Amino acid sequence: MAEQNDLMEKIVSICKRRGFVFQASEIYGGFANSYTYGPYGSELKNNIKALWWKKFVSMREDIVGIDGPIILHPKLWQASGHVAGFNDALVDCKECKKRFRADHLVEAVTGEDMEGKFEEMKKILDEKVPCPNCKKTNWSEVRNFNMMFSTKMNTTDASDEEIAYLRPETAGAIFVEFKNVVDSTRMKVPFGIAQIGKAFRNEIVAGNFIFRLREFEQMEIEYFIKPDAEWETLFEDWLKLQEEFVQELGAKKEDLRRYEHPKEKLSHYSKKTIDIEYKFPFGFKELYGLAHRGDFDLKQHAKFSGQKLEFFDQEKNEWFVPHILEPTFGLDRSILVALISAYIEEELEGGDSRIVMKFPRAIAPVKVAVFPLLKNKPELVAKAKEIFNQLKGEFPCEFDDNGNVGKRYRRQDEIGTPWCVTVDFDSLEDDAVTVRDRDTMVQERVKIEELREYFVTGLKSRKN
Ligand code: GAP
């Protein structure tokens, strides 16, 4: 385990050093569990979003995308059950004033599901659980704490009607557009609506870097099916697609496993829920989820809004309420998986070593780095700039003339740049450059006019 924690430390360190992820508001001493994706992190994030959108929206005729608001009508969260039920059971240590998830503390001792059993939790805490921080046993009552962030709209006082919420999941914005999408497109059940965006949860126990955040992004699909559809097959297909996607980010199959929620823990409307777990350095944890949500969401929103949220079956000549399969993907957890999977320390010949981020090429933040062999030779710099300017419109590129070539390779390895191009004195004669491969470190001579095709082919090839 020590080794594994070590890996997390190394990931956090390279993320800061190379501009993937910074602690947010650091100059003010930081702000708990909030992070900024830096120049390379934001490219990585955009590439993962683009890969997801391409796979699940652009390449599919049965899925369309939307982009809904973060602050939605407050009634929506009453209909969905979030106002009443999106709670964590919390307890405070009266000695050191630290706050904890009561169910987590108790379940670690009993192994039992403690949902809703407040009295019982308090008793077990008092008898068996010292505070993990100060080791004393002086607990407050166990209380429910709603995880939605609330805000006030256009008001100076705070009557309940004026309270709005930052969405705790992107799904809500999708359900309420079901009718608009059906009316404005030619989508027919089965079909899906996809969305990528921010969600907010007032997590008490946030942590493990970008694994659990208060402000995070989700990539979600609500897939509408007929009530009598062969949902088991569709369900399995979705799971496979989710597992396929994370492997496209670099994860190994053997680091994934499925966790099926036991029947007694399922929401009353769900037929089946499976989490896809990934072997993070801190243990197997939920990465993505897939739930059969029945007709709960559309029925609830129809009830609360007074609108008909149904689909007309032409064959049967009748209206029906579609059922929903919900594949959900956490974007920040996807980024963490990509970072962990990419991180490699290699021993080189001559006792040297290097750190290299072996991202799949499709998600690498920079695809090509262009160097002049020497910084102080204007003819080399001019040629390298010319090549950089030719390539940059098509591939995310970087020009680097700092330090020596060896140092530049090390830097690009840590950024995960698949190819480095060096312009040397021969280039001025033979119109060719040296292309060095990130993974094999093999160097090849390539004609300048063939570079574009070389990288296009390289990016298309399935291997990383
Ligand atoms: N609409 C269903 C839904 O929101 P969820 O399991 O609560 O389901 C879906 O969240 C995904 O969102 C999770 O599998 C995880 O990847 C991500 N996620 C949830 N809470 C998160 C948090 N606090 N920080 C980062 N990612 C989170």
Side-chain angles (χ1 to χ4, degrees):
M1 200 62 193
E3 218 175 78
Q4 296 295 325
N5 288 337
D6 204 34
L7 175 60
M8 269 319 281
E9 267 171 37
K10 287 173 176 172
I11 300 277
V12 173
S13 156
I14 196 171
C15 279
K16 181 168 164 63
R17 187 167 75 247
R18 291 302 181 200
F20 285 101
V21 185
F22 308 126
Q23 189 183 10
S25 319
E26 203 176 3
I27 60 164
Y28 287 104
F31 190 54
N33 304 108
S34 108
Y35 293 92
T36 297
Y37 289 98
Y40 299 116
S42 50
E43 292 290 341
L44 178 66
K45 189 178 193 183
N46 284 339
N47 292 344
I48 293 176
K49 285 196 218 184
L51 195 71
W52 188 89
W53 196 265
K54 184 172 177 198
K55 187 177 179 72
F56 295 112
V57 184
S58 313
M59 298 293 283
R60 294 188 59 138
E61 287 170 46
D62 60 339
I63 302 185
V64 288
I66 63 162
D67 185 5
I70 282 167
I71 300 178
L72 292 139
H73 198 296
K75 251 194 175 177
L76 189 157
W77 305 115
Q78 285 170 16
S80 67
H82 282 83
V83 172
F86 197 52
N87 299 320
D88 271 350
L90 298 186
V91 67
D92 292 314
C93 171
K94 290 193 197 165
E95 301 287 333
C96 69
K97 313 289 179 222
K98 286 253 179 217
R99 180 167 280 184
F100 299 92
R101 283 276 299 269
D103 50 342
H104 285 181
L105 292 181
V106 174
E107 279 166 29
V109 175
T110 62
E112 275 175 46
D113 178 14
M114 284 287 147
E115 206 177 315
K117 299 176 188 164
F118 285 50
E119 294 295 315
E120 242 177 277
M121 278 195 268
K122 169 75 170 136
K123 195 160 174 283
I124 296 170
L125 282 167
D126 287 345
E127 285 170 7
K128 296 193 184 151
V129 188
C131 168
N133 183 50
C134 72
K135 314 292 176 223
K136 305 233 172 70
T137 307
N138 187 4
W139 295 111
S140 70
E141 292 303 313
V142 177
R143 286 162 302 122
N144 252 341
F145 176 83
N146 193 288
M147 288 170 74
M148 283 197 293
F149 280 100
S150 58
T151 185
K152 287 178 230 158
M153 299 216 304
N154 299 332
T155 178
T156 45
D157 60 2
S159 74
D160 277 353
E161 277 104 73
E162 285 143 350
I163 287 182
Y165 302 96
L166 307 191
R167 64 185 183 198
E169 57 174 18
T170 55
I174 299 182
F175 301 131
V176 295
E177 300 306 342
F178 169 77
K179 188 171 159 18
N180 278 333
V181 171
V182 169
D183 290 350
S184 62
T185 66
R186 285 165 297 135
M187 303 314 283
K188 290 196 168 43
V189 173
F191 78 94
I193 306 179
Q195 183 178 217
I196 300 179
K198 289 238 170 174
F200 302 80
R201 294 181 191 177
N202 205 348
E203 299 274 6
I204 292 310
V205 194
N208 281 326
F209 196 36
I210 51 172
F211 177 80
R212 193 180 302 284
L213 301 164
R214 299 201 171 89
E215 176 177 342
F216 55 100
E217 277 192 65
Q218 291 181 320
M219 308 183 284
E220 294 199 295
I221 298 162
E222 304 303 321
Y223 198 76
F224 302 92
I225 58 175
K226 287 190 175 175
D228 56 1
E230 288 278 328
W231 67 268
E232 285 91 346
T233 323
L234 285 168
F235 198 94
E236 180 58 29
D237 290 348
W238 270 114
L239 278 175
K240 288 207 179 109
L241 285 172
Q242 291 187 285
E243 289 165 345
E244 193 178 280
F245 180 73
V246 63
Q247 288 174 73
E248 286 170 28
L249 304 182
K252 293 198 207 86
K253 198 170 193 305
E254 59 266 29
D255 289 337
L256 300 173
R257 73 178 188 195
R258 295 177 180 184
Y259 166 76
E260 177 160 4
H261 290 221
K263 290 262 175 310
E264 62 279 9
K265 275 186 115 179
L266 284 180
S267 319
H268 62 93
Y269 49 80
S270 178
K271 285 205 173 93
K272 191 170 183 151
T273 298
I274 288 190
D275 292 343
I276 293 170
E277 297 185 332
Y278 174 77
K279 194 175 173 193
F280 289 96
F282 39 87
F284 267 103
K285 298 270 178 232
E286 177 186 341
L287 172 66
Y288 302 149
L290 175 63
H292 186 310
R293 300 186 55 87
D295 58 9
F296 174 77
D297 304 283
L298 290 182
K299 277 203 168 146
Q300 281 294 101
H301 291 299
K303 186 170 147 198
F304 277 70
S305 66
Q307 301 287 317
K308 181 170 172 166
L309 300 179
E310 297 180 16
F311 191 83
F312 189 70
D313 187 330
Q314 305 273 4
E315 281 165 27
K316 291 191 181 159
N317 203 27
E318 64 187 25
W319 290 92
F320 68 93
V321 182
H323 286 210
I324 290 178
L325 298 182
E326 180 185 67
T328 175
F329 304 67
L331 177 56
D332 305 85
R333 289 185 191 176
S334 301
I335 297 169
L336 188 53
V337 170
L339 289 165
I340 292 167
S341 313
Y343 185 92
I344 288 174
E345 287 172 10
E346 274 179 3
E347 298 301 325
L348 304 175
E349 278 170 29
D352 216 357
S353 68
R354 68 167 184 159
I355 294 173
V356 51
M357 298 299 279
K358 291 191 177 176
F359 293 118
R361 288 170 184 170
I363 60 167
V366 178
K367 308 290 188 236
V368 185
V370 185
F371 316 148
L373 180 65
L374 297 169
K375 184 181 184 168
N376 53 3
K377 294 287 171 198
E379 60 278 33
L380 296 184
V381 174
K383 190 88 184 160
K385 269 270 151 85
E386 195 185 309
I387 294 172
F388 169 71
N389 286 331
Q390 274 169 18
L391 294 175
K392 74 177 181 194
E394 207 164 344
F395 313 98
C397 281
E398 214 171 75
F399 180 85
D400 191 357
D401 61 2
N402 264 323
N404 60 34
V405 171
K407 274 210 177 118
R408 295 177 207 157
Y409 281 158
R410 293 293 162 273
R411 181 167 181 276
Q412 294 302 331
D413 282 347
E414 293 199 0
I415 294 166
T417 306
W419 297 285
C420 292
V421 169
T422 305
V423 174
D424 54 24
F425 290 103
D426 288 343
S427 309
L428 304 174
E429 306 298 323
D430 64 1
D431 271 321
V433 286
T434 301
V435 179
R436 182 255 199 189
D437 184 281
R438 175 194 69 192
D439 301 344
T440 60
M441 294 190 286
V442 167
Q443 303 189 4
E444 247 188 291
R445 207 69 191 160
V446 180
K447 284 273 176 210
I448 294 171
E449 61 182 20
E450 289 166 11
L451 273 179
R452 186 195 161 272
E453 199 47 41
Y454 183 90
F455 297 133
V456 168
T457 311
L459 285 171
K460 272 195 197 143
S461 76
R462 291 296 298 172
K463 85 176 179 59
N464 295 339

